[in-house]
Amino acid sequence: MEKTVATCSAAPSKAMVRLYIAVIAVLAFTGFGQMPIFKRYYLADIPGLGWSANFFVTHALHYLGASVLFFLMAYHITGYFLAGRHSCTLTKSGWTRVIFLAGLTVTGIFRVLKNMPDILFSPNFTMFIDFAHLGFAMLFLFSCLGFLIFRTGWLKEVTHN
């Protein structure tokens, strides 16, 4: 059994964890909002959620959330390599999340490039990127739900023998 920790120097603060969870929630909500499901299934009819049927609003919020996620990823990767890699290491669930986040990041970057007016992708590549982004999002969200249920953390202490 791996001993997961929240006290090593690479572990994020509670405020950073809350920000990460909020950003992931915003990205999940606005990501699904990119598909026209909120209006179709009357979610936008719920008082206060009318904005969710507006593609441009959900699109801008998704880009804003992705920017915050990039900042959080860069901040924690830098902190891990500068301070924490000698005292902590990633668990198997941590590596799983990193791989799924990397897939989401790469496919998300290609989706942004796809939306640029001067960059053209073939229809098959565009469809592949769209499905890969959705697939990585689903894998990430379901794996995080499983890791939450089984209480597996990102980091574990390095034991020196």
Side-chain angles (χ1 to χ4, degrees):
M1 179 94 179
E2 298 170 338
K3 182 179 179 185
T4 58
V5 294
T7 58
C8 70
S9 56
S13 67
K14 287 185 180 184
M16 285 291 200
V17 171
R18 287 185 184 118
L19 178 61
Y20 170 75
I21 291 170
V23 166
I24 294 298
V26 166
L27 285 171
F29 187 79
T30 59
F32 286 110
Q34 299 298 293
M35 301 179 282
I37 62 174
F38 292 159
K39 184 72 172 169
R40 180 178 299 152
Y41 296 110
Y42 305 105
L43 186 68
D45 293 342
I46 297 171
L49 289 179
W51 61 269
S52 65
N54 185 333
F55 171 80
F56 296 106
V57 171
T58 58
H59 186 74
L61 286 174
H62 198 72
Y63 275 22
L64 179 65
S67 299
V68 174
L69 183 63
F70 281 154
F71 165 77
L72 289 173
M73 289 168 53
Y75 179 82
H76 288 292
I77 289 169
T78 304
Y80 176 76
F81 282 109
L82 291 180
R85 67 185 176 139
H86 302 294
S87 63
C88 297
T89 186
L90 288 170
T91 62
K92 291 177 185 172
S93 66
W95 277 111
T96 303
R97 291 178 235 209
V98 165
I99 290 167
F100 291 157
L101 270 175
L104 267 170
T105 301
V106 169
T107 57
I109 289 169
F110 275 104
R111 286 187 50 93
V112 169
L113 291 174
K114 173 190 76 133
N115 291 332
M116 298 289 182
D118 296 336
I119 298 177
L120 298 173
F121 293 137
S122 72
N124 287 336
F125 185 68
T126 300
M127 188 170 55
F128 169 75
I129 290 299
D130 289 344
F131 284 133
H133 193 68
L134 180 61
F136 276 118
M138 297 303 292
L139 285 170
F140 178 73
L141 292 173
F142 283 126
S143 67
C144 285
L145 178 63
F147 298 143
L148 179 67
I149 290 169
F150 292 108
R151 298 198 178 273
T152 58
W154 286 72
L155 300 171
K156 67 178 177 179
E157 283 186 74
V158 173
T159 55
H160 300 287
N161 294 331

